[in-house]
Amino acid sequence: MAATDFTPVPRVLRQDDWDLWYDTLLRAFGGVEEAAEERELWHSLTDFDRSLGVWDGERCVGTSGAFRFRVSVPGGALVPAAGVTMVGVAATHRRRGVLTSMMRRQLDDVRSWGEPLAVLTASEPAIYGRFGYGAATSWLSAEIDTGRVRLSVPPGTDAVRLRYEDPADALDACEAVYSALVPGRPGMPARQPGWERVGLLDPASERGGASALQCVVAERDGEVTGYARYAVKPDWSPAGAAHGTVVLRDLGALDPASEAALWRFLWDIDLTTTLRVRSRPVDDSWLHQVSDARRCEPRLRDGLYVRLVDVGTALSARSYQTPVDVVLEVEDAFCPWNEGRWRLSGDAKGASCERAADPAELSLSARELGAAYLGGVSLVSLASAGRVRELRPGALTEASVAFGSPVPPWLPHGF
């Protein structure tokens, strides 16, 4: 078939096409075959009615999906969101409109489902801005030299009891801790059935020489108040000195003492000198407890990307840390139903956002609105980059402060 005869038309995924569809996705990401347990989990989590494929004859050449999420926003509400996932295009069909056709169909679908947000993590960040997605959260990573860096813990830490648990046996207790944390941190998705299994994925082929997944839980007054899932990668110098690495997979705690007890435990594991931390909140507590942050080598990278599919509903769904009353001029060429003026009025108790005929006071695109939505990216910083225009003096500062969040947003895991 000649290239000119191909027109990408996404269609809903059929169950008997899943293996071919998923193999197309794996090939787009390098072709490395996943362990059977991982493949089975993603098959079980796939929502076929919300997944799309593009076909050229009998060949699948494009994939995309959308999980059903509810994401915490400033104020603690859980807002329905499409978790965009499994996006891939066959290398043979690049630059032929496959991705654009899937993004067009998907956002139309998300709107029809009544979900005001779409969210994703980007393997290639340059791609998604043109579809209105803005980078809204960051991930903190570190390689902590636990042999040299000391950790100072708060009062009450010694009263926390720690115990080893089998990760599967402790799953319910860990999930209860996670659920309690969700409303207090924008960007965290509430666990849908089946998603608790993601934290237990531990294929031997992907451990890179580390141990099987281990788990320790924290207790206060007989109640589980925190947990850490991790692995240990042993290493020895030629002279026989231990230089092992602790690889943190997940950590959550309900109070400062429990969190500190877990960090101290990870710091002090025998025969290790490094603690490897990935995808943590930018305000992680250990940053303020270490003796030398430079030896922790902290690094930031983009995390969750947010797209407002329905501007009015999305802006009404969150609260604002100071009173705000501003008319926004929104540019949104890809989802034109969002374009135009919107009056946002709200405070810490709630908000409304309706169409307006009044003069605009701030002008920005859907991409910038998505970046600022969870409170982790300030409108002032976007304005300094030329991405937001102030049309009424004072409107920028007022809106920027209101949009902020006292707790930085965070996505705990990819999807």
mmCIF file of all heavy atoms in Angstrom, residues 263-285:
data_model
loop_
_atom_site.group_PDB
_atom_site.id
_atom_site.type_symbol
_atom_site.label_atom_id
_atom_site.label_comp_id
_atom_site.label_asym_id
_atom_site.label_seq_id
_atom_site.Cartn_x
_atom_site.Cartn_y
_atom_site.Cartn_z
ATOM 1 N N TRP A 263 12.989 6.771 57.237
ATOM 2 C CA TRP A 263 14.203 7.262 56.580
ATOM 3 C C TRP A 263 15.440 6.827 57.344
ATOM 4 O O TRP A 263 16.438 6.403 56.746
ATOM 5 C CB TRP A 263 14.169 8.784 56.444
ATOM 6 C CG TRP A 263 13.268 9.287 55.355
ATOM 7 C CD1 TRP A 263 12.136 10.016 55.486
ATOM 8 C CD2 TRP A 263 13.442 9.099 53.945
ATOM 9 N NE1 TRP A 263 11.583 10.288 54.265
ATOM 10 C CE2 TRP A 263 12.360 9.744 53.296
ATOM 11 C CE3 TRP A 263 14.391 8.450 53.162
ATOM 12 C CZ2 TRP A 263 12.217 9.749 51.909
ATOM 13 C CZ3 TRP A 263 14.254 8.455 51.773
ATOM 14 C CH2 TRP A 263 13.175 9.089 51.165
ATOM 15 N N ARG A 264 15.421 6.913 58.651
ATOM 16 C CA ARG A 264 16.590 6.512 59.450
ATOM 17 C C ARG A 264 16.890 5.030 59.249
ATOM 18 O O ARG A 264 18.057 4.620 59.154
ATOM 19 C CB ARG A 264 16.355 6.822 60.921
ATOM 20 C CG ARG A 264 17.563 6.525 61.815
ATOM 21 C CD ARG A 264 17.345 7.033 63.226
ATOM 22 N NE ARG A 264 16.221 6.368 63.896
ATOM 23 C CZ ARG A 264 15.825 6.662 65.142
ATOM 24 N NH1 ARG A 264 16.456 7.618 65.829
ATOM 25 N NH2 ARG A 264 14.803 6.033 65.685
ATOM 26 N N PHE A 265 15.843 4.224 59.199
ATOM 27 C CA PHE A 265 16.027 2.796 58.941
ATOM 28 C C PHE A 265 16.755 2.575 57.613
ATOM 29 O O PHE A 265 17.715 1.796 57.524
ATOM 30 C CB PHE A 265 14.670 2.098 58.936
ATOM 31 C CG PHE A 265 14.706 0.698 58.402
ATOM 32 C CD1 PHE A 265 15.082 -0.356 59.213
ATOM 33 C CD2 PHE A 265 14.366 0.432 57.082
ATOM 34 C CE1 PHE A 265 15.128 -1.657 58.723
ATOM 35 C CE2 PHE A 265 14.408 -0.857 56.579
ATOM 36 C CZ PHE A 265 14.788 -1.908 57.398
ATOM 37 N N LEU A 266 16.277 3.232 56.556
ATOM 38 C CA LEU A 266 16.894 3.076 55.237
ATOM 39 C C LEU A 266 18.341 3.567 55.239
ATOM 40 O O LEU A 266 19.212 3.001 54.570
ATOM 41 C CB LEU A 266 16.079 3.831 54.185
ATOM 42 C CG LEU A 266 14.641 3.346 53.979
ATOM 43 C CD1 LEU A 266 13.866 4.342 53.134
ATOM 44 C CD2 LEU A 266 14.611 1.965 53.325
ATOM 45 N N TRP A 267 18.590 4.632 55.986
ATOM 46 C CA TRP A 267 19.924 5.218 56.096
ATOM 47 C C TRP A 267 20.921 4.219 56.703
ATOM 48 O O TRP A 267 22.083 4.193 56.308
ATOM 49 C CB TRP A 267 19.858 6.444 57.005
ATOM 50 C CG TRP A 267 20.487 7.683 56.485
ATOM 51 C CD1 TRP A 267 21.751 8.131 56.735
ATOM 52 C CD2 TRP A 267 19.878 8.684 55.644
ATOM 53 N NE1 TRP A 267 21.966 9.333 56.116
ATOM 54 C CE2 TRP A 267 20.823 9.694 55.440
ATOM 55 C CE3 TRP A 267 18.624 8.815 55.065
ATOM 56 C CZ2 TRP A 267 20.566 10.828 54.683
ATOM 57 C CZ3 TRP A 267 18.359 9.937 54.305
ATOM 58 C CH2 TRP A 267 19.311 10.919 54.117
ATOM 59 N N ASP A 268 20.443 3.431 57.651
ATOM 60 C CA ASP A 268 21.343 2.650 58.507
ATOM 61 C C ASP A 268 21.394 1.167 58.174
ATOM 62 O O ASP A 268 21.929 0.375 58.955
ATOM 63 C CB ASP A 268 20.906 2.806 59.974
ATOM 64 C CG ASP A 268 21.107 4.219 60.492
ATOM 65 O OD1 ASP A 268 21.892 4.966 59.888
ATOM 66 O OD2 ASP A 268 20.466 4.573 61.506
ATOM 67 N N ILE A 269 20.860 0.746 57.041
ATOM 68 C CA ILE A 269 20.898 -0.675 56.701
ATOM 69 C C ILE A 269 22.348 -1.136 56.565
ATOM 70 O O ILE A 269 23.166 -0.495 55.884
ATOM 71 C CB ILE A 269 20.101 -0.949 55.419
ATOM 72 C CG1 ILE A 269 18.602 -0.737 55.681
ATOM 73 C CG2 ILE A 269 20.347 -2.368 54.900
ATOM 74 C CD1 ILE A 269 17.728 -0.896 54.459
ATOM 75 N N ASP A 270 22.663 -2.225 57.220
ATOM 76 C CA ASP A 270 24.034 -2.731 57.236
ATOM 77 C C ASP A 270 24.551 -3.025 55.834
ATOM 78 O O ASP A 270 23.797 -3.429 54.933
ATOM 79 C CB ASP A 270 24.112 -4.011 58.068
ATOM 80 C CG ASP A 270 23.946 -3.759 59.557
ATOM 81 O OD1 ASP A 270 24.139 -2.591 59.976
ATOM 82 O OD2 ASP A 270 23.607 -4.708 60.290
ATOM 83 N N LEU A 271 25.868 -2.823 55.685
ATOM 84 C CA LEU A 271 26.601 -3.162 54.461
ATOM 85 C C LEU A 271 26.209 -2.287 53.274
ATOM 86 O O LEU A 271 26.440 -2.654 52.124
ATOM 87 C CB LEU A 271 26.415 -4.642 54.103
ATOM 88 C CG LEU A 271 26.752 -5.662 55.218
ATOM 89 C CD1 LEU A 271 26.531 -7.081 54.719
ATOM 90 C CD2 LEU A 271 28.178 -5.477 55.720
ATOM 91 N N THR A 272 25.600 -1.125 53.523
ATOM 92 C CA THR A 272 25.249 -0.189 52.452
ATOM 93 C C THR A 272 25.831 1.185 52.747
ATOM 94 O O THR A 272 25.998 1.568 53.909
ATOM 95 C CB THR A 272 23.726 -0.060 52.273
ATOM 96 O OG1 THR A 272 23.152 0.561 53.425
ATOM 97 C CG2 THR A 272 23.086 -1.433 52.063
ATOM 98 N N THR A 273 26.136 1.915 51.688
ATOM 99 C CA THR A 273 26.681 3.271 51.818
ATOM 100 C C THR A 273 25.949 4.282 50.939
ATOM 101 O O THR A 273 26.287 5.457 50.938
ATOM 102 C CB THR A 273 28.167 3.294 51.441
ATOM 103 O OG1 THR A 273 28.328 2.811 50.094
ATOM 104 C CG2 THR A 273 28.994 2.432 52.383
ATOM 105 N N THR A 274 24.955 3.812 50.186
ATOM 106 C CA THR A 274 24.212 4.693 49.279
ATOM 107 C C THR A 274 22.725 4.394 49.388
ATOM 108 O O THR A 274 22.336 3.223 49.465
ATOM 109 C CB THR A 274 24.658 4.504 47.821
ATOM 110 O OG1 THR A 274 26.058 4.767 47.710
ATOM 111 C CG2 THR A 274 23.895 5.444 46.882
ATOM 112 N N LEU A 275 21.935 5.450 49.395
ATOM 113 C CA LEU A 275 20.476 5.330 49.333
ATOM 114 C C LEU A 275 20.021 5.995 48.046
ATOM 115 O O LEU A 275 20.202 7.207 47.864
ATOM 116 C CB LEU A 275 19.834 6.000 50.544
ATOM 117 C CG LEU A 275 18.302 6.121 50.552
ATOM 118 C CD1 LEU A 275 17.630 4.770 50.374
ATOM 119 C CD2 LEU A 275 17.827 6.808 51.833
ATOM 120 N N ARG A 276 19.454 5.207 47.150
ATOM 121 C CA ARG A 276 19.003 5.721 45.849
ATOM 122 C C ARG A 276 17.513 6.032 45.937
ATOM 123 O O ARG A 276 16.686 5.160 46.222
ATOM 124 C CB ARG A 276 19.266 4.693 44.752
ATOM 125 C CG ARG A 276 18.869 5.164 43.353
ATOM 126 C CD ARG A 276 19.267 4.123 42.329
ATOM 127 N NE ARG A 276 20.699 3.892 42.344
ATOM 128 C CZ ARG A 276 21.293 2.784 41.881
ATOM 129 N NH1 ARG A 276 20.549 1.800 41.388
ATOM 130 N NH2 ARG A 276 22.600 2.667 41.930
ATOM 131 N N VAL A 277 17.183 7.288 45.679
ATOM 132 C CA VAL A 277 15.816 7.788 45.806
ATOM 133 C C VAL A 277 15.341 8.260 44.436
ATOM 134 O O VAL A 277 16.058 8.999 43.756
ATOM 135 C CB VAL A 277 15.772 8.948 46.831
ATOM 136 C CG1 VAL A 277 14.412 9.604 46.851
ATOM 137 C CG2 VAL A 277 16.156 8.453 48.213
ATOM 138 N N ARG A 278 14.146 7.862 44.035
ATOM 139 C CA ARG A 278 13.595 8.250 42.743
ATOM 140 C C ARG A 278 12.146 8.707 42.911
ATOM 141 O O ARG A 278 11.408 8.203 43.751
ATOM 142 C CB ARG A 278 13.640 7.080 41.753
ATOM 143 C CG ARG A 278 15.047 6.599 41.394
ATOM 144 C CD ARG A 278 15.768 7.597 40.491
ATOM 145 N NE ARG A 278 17.074 7.118 40.088
ATOM 146 C CZ ARG A 278 18.194 7.327 40.769
ATOM 147 N NH1 ARG A 278 18.167 8.024 41.893
ATOM 148 N NH2 ARG A 278 19.347 6.867 40.322
ATOM 149 N N SER A 279 11.752 9.666 42.094
ATOM 150 C CA SER A 279 10.340 10.065 41.945
ATOM 151 C C SER A 279 9.690 10.436 43.271
ATOM 152 O O SER A 279 8.563 10.040 43.563
ATOM 153 C CB SER A 279 9.548 8.935 41.264
ATOM 154 O OG SER A 279 10.128 8.583 40.036
ATOM 155 N N ARG A 280 10.378 11.253 44.066
ATOM 156 C CA ARG A 280 9.872 11.686 45.356
ATOM 157 C C ARG A 280 9.343 13.119 45.266
ATOM 158 O O ARG A 280 9.628 13.854 44.320
ATOM 159 C CB ARG A 280 10.979 11.611 46.411
ATOM 160 C CG ARG A 280 11.462 10.208 46.711
ATOM 161 C CD ARG A 280 10.389 9.364 47.347
ATOM 162 N NE ARG A 280 9.918 9.952 48.603
ATOM 163 C CZ ARG A 280 8.839 9.560 49.262
ATOM 164 N NH1 ARG A 280 8.088 8.598 48.781
ATOM 165 N NH2 ARG A 280 8.486 10.140 50.391
ATOM 166 N N PRO A 281 8.549 13.565 46.279
ATOM 167 C CA PRO A 281 8.088 14.961 46.286
ATOM 168 C C PRO A 281 9.272 15.920 46.394
ATOM 169 O O PRO A 281 10.295 15.605 47.006
ATOM 170 C CB PRO A 281 7.214 15.032 47.548
ATOM 171 C CG PRO A 281 6.914 13.630 47.926
ATOM 172 C CD PRO A 281 8.047 12.799 47.438
ATOM 173 N N VAL A 282 9.112 17.105 45.843
ATOM 174 C CA VAL A 282 10.199 18.080 45.874
ATOM 175 C C VAL A 282 10.446 18.637 47.269
ATOM 176 O O VAL A 282 11.486 19.255 47.522
ATOM 177 C CB VAL A 282 9.933 19.239 44.891
ATOM 178 C CG1 VAL A 282 9.838 18.714 43.458
ATOM 179 C CG2 VAL A 282 8.666 20.007 45.264
ATOM 180 N N ASP A 283 9.509 18.419 48.202
ATOM 181 C CA ASP A 283 9.678 18.891 49.571
ATOM 182 C C ASP A 283 9.881 17.736 50.540
ATOM 183 O O ASP A 283 9.539 17.833 51.717
ATOM 184 C CB ASP A 283 8.460 19.723 50.010
ATOM 185 C CG ASP A 283 7.164 18.902 50.023
ATOM 186 O OD1 ASP A 283 7.112 17.859 49.337
ATOM 187 O OD2 ASP A 283 6.208 19.302 50.724
ATOM 188 N N ASP A 284 10.429 16.625 50.065
ATOM 189 C CA ASP A 284 10.626 15.466 50.926
ATOM 190 C C ASP A 284 11.327 15.871 52.225
ATOM 191 O O ASP A 284 12.269 16.670 52.221
ATOM 192 C CB ASP A 284 11.457 14.415 50.189
ATOM 193 C CG ASP A 284 10.811 13.047 50.202
ATOM 194 O OD1 ASP A 284 9.738 12.887 50.803
ATOM 195 O OD2 ASP A 284 11.380 12.119 49.595
ATOM 196 N N SER A 285 10.887 15.273 53.327
ATOM 197 C CA SER A 285 11.330 15.722 54.651
ATOM 198 C C SER A 285 12.825 15.579 54.867
ATOM 199 O O SER A 285 13.450 16.409 55.550
ATOM 200 C CB SER A 285 10.583 14.946 55.733
ATOM 201 O OG SER A 285 10.859 13.561 55.637
#
